[in-house]
């Protein structure tokens, strides 16, 4: 059984300055053929059970409740974790109640910053007070859990700004945080307008502050960019990080079936006329094993070496002896598992590059 499904809703009201995801401004002329193709794509799999379902985007909360229902009804009724990504300006109380009635039990809210001038720089179309009022509504609703996204390292953002964001996050008593450092993507508005990345020392100081403050407040730093209160892990994201298969539905979605990854077309025009047109990624077993290492080392659960050896027909400790020795003070072994200490997570990319250099 494939445990998880991701549905990509590629529409947005406006385009944020840092974003290079597959998204377009909502366009009625494409919408009905997009929806028809998406429903066809999902129904072909005749899914009878699922642990986690994730509607991401784009902005899934832009869908009308009727459109949401017709896509949601392609999936089984009982799903352990059903997450919908929302933006503050498109999540009102009625929609929230409709989601709950349709089995949504986790909201992921794109807040990005609690500072209005930084929201403007990012071309977000909501204010900080709008985001706070939506957070209060979510807390009053019967959604079991929720998360917000924040970004740090934004243009002209100071350490004081980051401290205020974390203070506001903590004062709102939110169960989960995904927090990312700004990446200047070539195809984003920031990339095209020559915005400079944050100074790397300041960015490292910000991340250290975030990690220490959240851990001191009782949050578990369970993945490099994810913090939660006990019991509020994102089960869906854990499926990615723990090397599980997942369906990816929709224009711009990616999935993995029988260990083989695929990317659907990113062209809405192509999707609307021909359907998902998946491109399967031709990877050797060793490359798939490397993908599994890269995902697992992002988390505090690490990699189960015994399972990895069996699945990828190799000997992890022997094959990567050189890297394990070079970074020995950053690794921890516990039972069958290896994971990175906090200091190791701080240099995760450097360590992963060395893993990748091993043939
Ligand atoms: S960040 Fe989210 S809301 Fe903004 S343009 Fe990208 S997908 Fe749309």
């Amino acid at each position: 059984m494939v445990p998880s499904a991701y549905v990509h809703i590629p529409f947005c009201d406006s385009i944020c300055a840092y974003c290079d995801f597959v998204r377009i401004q909502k366009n009625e002329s494409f919408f009905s053929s997009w929806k028809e193709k998406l429903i066809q794509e999902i129904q072909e799999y005749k899914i009878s059970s699922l642990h986690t379902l994730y509607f991401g985007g784009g902005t899934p909360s832009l869908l009308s409740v009727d459109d949401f229902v017709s896509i949601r009804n392609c999936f089984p009724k009982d799903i352990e974790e059903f997450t919908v990504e929302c933006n503050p300006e498109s999540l009102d109380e009625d929609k929230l109640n409709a989601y709950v009635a349709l089995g949504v039990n986790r909201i992921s809210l794109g807040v990005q910053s609690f500072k209005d001038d930084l929201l403007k720089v990012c071309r977000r179309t909501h204010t900080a007070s709008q985001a706070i009022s939506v957070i209060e509504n979510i807390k009053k609703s019967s959604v079991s859990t929720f998360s917000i996204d924040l970004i740090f390292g934004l243009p002209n953002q100071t350490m004081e700004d980051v401290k205020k964001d974390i203070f506001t996050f903590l004062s709102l008593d939110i169960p989960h945080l995904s927090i990312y450092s700004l990446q200047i993507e070539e195809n984003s508005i920031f990339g095209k307008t020559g915005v400079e990345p944050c100074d790397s020392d300041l960015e490292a100081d910000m991340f250290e502050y975030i990690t220490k403050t959240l851990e001191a407040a009782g949050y578990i730093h369970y993945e490099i960019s994810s913090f939660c209160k006990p019991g509020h892990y994102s089960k869906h994201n854990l499926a990615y990080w723990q090397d599980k298969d997942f369906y990816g539905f929709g224009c711009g979605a990616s999935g993995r079936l029988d260990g083989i990854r695929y990317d659907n077309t990113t062209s809405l025009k192509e999707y609307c006329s021909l359907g998902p047109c998946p491109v399967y990624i031709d990877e050797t077993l060793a490359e798939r094993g490397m993908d599994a290492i890269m995902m697992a080392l992002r988390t505090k659960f690490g990699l189960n070496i015994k399972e990895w050896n069996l699945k990828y027909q190799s000997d992890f400790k022997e094959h990567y002896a050189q890297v394990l020795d070079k970074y020995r003070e950053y690794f921890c072994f516990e039972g069958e598992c290896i994971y990175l200490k906090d200091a190791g997570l701080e240099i995760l990319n450097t360590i992963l590059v060395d893993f990748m250099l091993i043939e």
Side-chain angles (χ1 to χ4, degrees):
M1 173 202 158
V2 180
S4 299
Y6 172 82
V7 180
H8 192 71
I9 314 289
F11 306 104
C12 292
D13 251 343
S14 61
I15 303 303
C16 305
Y18 53 84
C19 179
D20 81 335
F21 299 148
V22 177
R23 77 291 182 252
I24 60 158
Q25 274 171 301
K26 198 173 172 205
N27 175 338
E28 290 308 326
S29 60
F30 276 117
F31 190 78
S32 53
S33 42
W34 167 80
K35 193 174 92 176
E36 195 184 308
K37 283 285 189 272
L38 177 65
I39 291 174
Q40 263 176 24
E41 185 192 353
I42 301 167
Q43 284 178 338
E44 266 174 33
Y45 285 91
K46 299 186 181 13
I47 299 170
S48 57
S49 70
L50 208 56
H51 284 309
T52 72
L53 175 60
Y54 194 106
F55 282 17
T59 311
S61 54
L62 265 191
L63 293 178
S64 70
V65 172
D66 285 349
D67 289 328
F68 187 92
V69 170
S70 46
I71 300 166
R72 190 272 173 261
N73 284 348
C74 301
F75 294 97
K77 195 166 174 295
D78 293 317
I79 293 171
E80 202 179 314
E81 183 188 270
F82 180 6
T83 304
V84 180
E85 276 182 5
C86 300
N87 273 346
E89 68 279 12
S90 51
L91 184 63
D92 58 24
E93 272 186 77
D94 288 347
K95 207 170 260 183
L96 191 55
N97 292 334
Y99 286 165
V100 173
L102 291 161
V104 173
N105 51 18
R106 186 171 184 275
I107 298 285
S108 171
L109 188 71
V111 173
Q112 318 311 352
S113 168
F114 287 108
K115 202 160 178 260
D116 284 339
D117 58 341
L118 289 175
L119 288 171
K120 274 206 186 112
V121 168
C122 293
R123 302 198 187 192
R124 300 288 292 177
T125 52
H126 59 88
T127 60
S129 66
Q130 247 177 314
I132 291 172
S133 119
V134 172
I135 289 168
E136 297 296 0
N137 284 342
I138 297 172
K139 285 164 68 179
K140 277 188 261 156
S141 77
S142 24
V143 171
S144 339
T145 192
F146 73 106
S147 174
I148 69 162
D149 285 357
L150 291 175
I151 304 178
F152 67 99
L154 289 165
N156 301 322
Q157 187 181 31
T158 63
M159 188 66 166
E160 254 339 278
D161 295 334
V162 170
K163 287 184 179 175
K164 278 187 194 153
D165 272 358
I166 297 301
F167 176 81
T168 309
F169 170 80
L170 290 174
S171 65
L172 288 165
D173 195 25
I174 297 167
H176 188 285
L177 173 67
S178 297
I179 187 157
Y180 306 96
S181 64
L182 177 71
Q183 303 299 312
I184 311 278
E185 306 291 350
E186 212 182 313
N187 286 324
S188 67
I189 296 170
F190 280 159
K192 288 176 183 159
T193 53
V195 167
E196 291 291 323
C198 175
D199 171 79
S200 57
D201 287 342
L202 176 60
E203 187 185 300
D205 288 349
M206 286 173 169
F207 189 62
E208 192 185 345
Y209 172 82
I210 293 162
T211 307
K212 288 203 168 133
T213 311
L214 291 177
E215 285 180 346
Y219 283 80
I220 305 164
H221 186 195
Y222 74 102
E223 188 266 343
I224 189 151
S225 308
S226 311
F227 297 81
C228 72
K229 291 188 181 181
H232 291 269
Y233 301 109
S234 162
K235 292 176 185 151
H236 183 84
N237 288 344
L238 278 176
Y240 300 149
W241 300 322
Q242 294 181 339
D243 202 25
K244 305 261 171 41
D245 278 354
F246 58 96
Y247 299 105
F249 295 120
C251 174
S254 298
R256 196 186 94 158
L257 296 176
D258 293 327
I260 298 170
R261 294 194 293 127
Y262 62 91
D263 296 324
N264 282 356
T265 178
T266 56
S267 155
L268 193 60
K269 209 168 156 201
E270 184 172 46
Y271 188 85
C272 291
S273 53
L274 301 172
C277 309
V279 173
Y280 293 90
I281 298 160
D282 188 15
E283 284 183 309
T284 61
L285 193 64
E287 284 166 337
R288 287 194 226 163
M290 188 62 234
D291 292 342
I293 293 168
M294 284 167 60
M295 285 292 156
L297 291 183
R298 297 174 64 91
T299 73
K300 82 174 187 83
F301 309 103
L303 179 82
N304 185 309
I305 296 173
K306 199 172 168 189
E307 283 174 13
W308 188 91
N309 287 350
L310 268 176
K311 197 165 174 181
Y312 296 105
Q313 295 163 29
S314 182
D315 184 322
F316 178 83
K317 282 188 185 164
E318 199 179 290
H319 194 75
Y320 294 108
Q322 213 182 314
V323 187
L324 298 178
D325 185 49
K326 180 171 173 187
Y327 296 104
R328 61 186 170 282
E329 75 266 35
Y330 296 103
F331 284 113
C332 234
F333 288 89
E334 212 172 271
E336 300 293 346
C337 291
I338 176 172
Y339 60 89
L340 282 166
K341 299 175 188 170
D342 278 350
L345 280 176
E346 281 170 25
I347 54 160
L348 175 68
N349 288 340
T350 312
I351 295 176
L352 291 180
V353 168
D354 277 345
F355 268 105
M356 284 189 279
L357 289 174
I358 306 278
E359 291 282 306

